[in-house]
Amino acid sequence: MDEADYLDLIDDETWEFIRASARHFPPDSARLALDMQRALHRQMCRAFRAAPPGAPAPEDRSFGGVPCRLHATGSAPGSVVFLHSGGFVLGDLDSEDDLCAEIAAATGLRVISVGYRLAPEHVHPAAFQDALAGTKAVALAFPGPLVLVGHDAGGSLAASVAHALRGRVALSGQVLICPALGGNRDRGSYLTHATAPMLSRQDVLSMAAIRHGGREPAADPTSDALRDTDFRGLPPTLVVTAQCDPLSDDGRAYRDAIRAAAGRARWIEEPGLVHGFLRGRHRITRAAQSFARITAAVTGMSRGQF
């Protein structure tokens, strides 16, 4: 299968975002010691930070024994549990703090970011256990509409939590952004976009190996939602992927699996965008438009509309 022509697919704004990202977090950072990778990642997140003006100070607190951060703009009609990006290896409550504040401002919902444990110090299922415990505790603390939102690794965790909570917690919806869901890595977007800017197929394989301490489980929906055998009873689902991303076809496959089980799901592949594009939502017109679609979907789900 031929690889994509990124000079044709990616516009100037997105190329500048890619170059700016590389100045802070070089593409070959995986060769560095983990503490240095994390330091560079924190530096990159700070460089792209764009909190909405006048956003109230967040509150750090524990939900289900897991460190979390609460963003609220007043009396909220519902909640969002947010699970951050970072390939299960990078990221923390600070890395997408501004994104959470902006989701809260755009939707009027309280947003609780869950600080799940990272690999390799804590291999699977540690991150899943934290995401599940945090979500259950938020549902108890704030009765009412609850939407799961996950970005990258957080999207994988959000989907697995949604599968685990069927029949136990009523979720209003889930929005998964550039998630890794366990699709076939030997076909489709995994090959067409194997060397995509921002995330390569090899990056996906390497992070999965770190997450699991070696061999991945063959059939474990707590790791990869597409490994489940039952897609019934899931909440309304929106998957948003970037066209220039090896993970993109996971969104299509997950949508199709839910629809085949008579569920409600939509998949949007954002043309010309790359993995992690939300960090560039104030620099890239296409990313800003996608973010608006995402927050509109979250708002709608909280109101029972999809």
Side-chain angles (χ1 to χ4, degrees):
M1 183 177 293
D2 293 337
E3 291 194 16
D5 181 354
Y6 296 116
L7 291 177
D8 181 55
L9 290 173
I10 297 174
D11 66 15
D12 291 343
E13 289 181 325
T14 308
W15 275 118
E16 179 50 38
F17 166 72
I18 293 167
R19 288 190 289 268
S21 298
R23 286 195 289 270
H24 298 285
F25 194 80
D28 61 350
S29 295
R31 64 181 174 77
L32 302 173
L34 186 55
D35 58 348
M36 180 59 70
Q37 291 182 51
R38 288 174 174 165
L40 290 173
H41 185 262
R42 286 192 294 271
Q43 174 182 301
M44 179 179 67
C45 292
R46 285 194 298 269
F48 283 95
R49 183 175 175 79
E59 175 189 354
D60 286 345
R61 56 188 286 190
S62 174
F63 286 91
V66 182
C68 296
R69 182 165 294 169
L70 170 65
H71 299 259
T73 57
S75 180
S79 305
V80 171
V81 167
F82 181 86
L83 298 160
H84 66 76
S85 64
F88 305 99
V89 176
L90 309 172
D92 52 29
L93 292 176
D94 292 329
S95 58
E96 291 175 308
D97 187 68
D98 59 325
L99 178 59
C100 291
E102 198 160 347
I103 292 172
T107 64
L109 304 170
R110 70 178 63 84
V111 177
I112 302 93
S113 178
V114 178
Y116 57 86
R117 288 170 288 173
L118 301 176
E121 298 91 338
H122 306 281
V123 297
H124 178 76
F128 167 75
Q129 291 170 340
D130 289 350
L132 182 65
T135 302
K136 289 164 63 178
V138 168
L140 286 173
F142 303 112
L146 176 59
V147 181
L148 289 176
V149 178
H151 184 199
D152 176 49
S156 172
L157 292 170
S160 291
V161 167
H163 282 239
L165 290 180
R166 283 177 292 188
R168 301 166 61 190
V169 173
L171 297 174
S172 301
Q174 59 171 340
V175 177
L176 315 176
I177 307 149
C178 296
L181 297 171
N184 188 331
R185 298 172 186 156
D186 293 318
R187 68 182 187 192
S189 61
Y190 280 98
L191 300 184
T192 305
H193 298 288
T195 58
M198 303 297 287
L199 185 75
S200 70
R201 179 179 180 274
Q202 185 56 51
D203 292 334
V204 176
L205 295 173
S206 298
M207 289 181 178
I210 293 170
R211 179 191 185 192
H212 294 283
R215 185 182 296 273
E216 296 180 64
D220 180 3
T222 70
S223 169
D224 298 290
L226 279 170
R227 308 283 171 87
D228 208 341
T229 56
D230 184 1
F231 292 84
R232 295 173 297 176
L234 292 169
T237 298
L238 172 66
V239 190
V240 178
T241 64
Q243 179 185 16
C244 305
D245 184 346
L247 299 175
S248 190
D249 277 358
D250 280 17
R252 183 207 311 269
Y254 192 54
R255 176 204 62 185
D256 292 349
I258 293 173
R259 286 185 174 180
R264 290 181 290 164
R266 287 192 288 129
W267 169 59
I268 299 173
E269 183 182 66
E270 299 290 9
L273 287 179
V274 293
H275 191 82
F277 68 82
L278 274 189
R279 194 174 293 112
R281 65 194 180 280
H282 292 286
R283 303 181 182 214
I284 307 169
T285 302
R286 291 174 178 178
Q289 293 167 342
S290 181
F291 181 66
R293 283 189 281 273
I294 288 165
T295 55
V298 172
T299 302
M301 288 174 174
S302 73
R303 297 172 180 173
Q305 302 163 358
F306 181 67

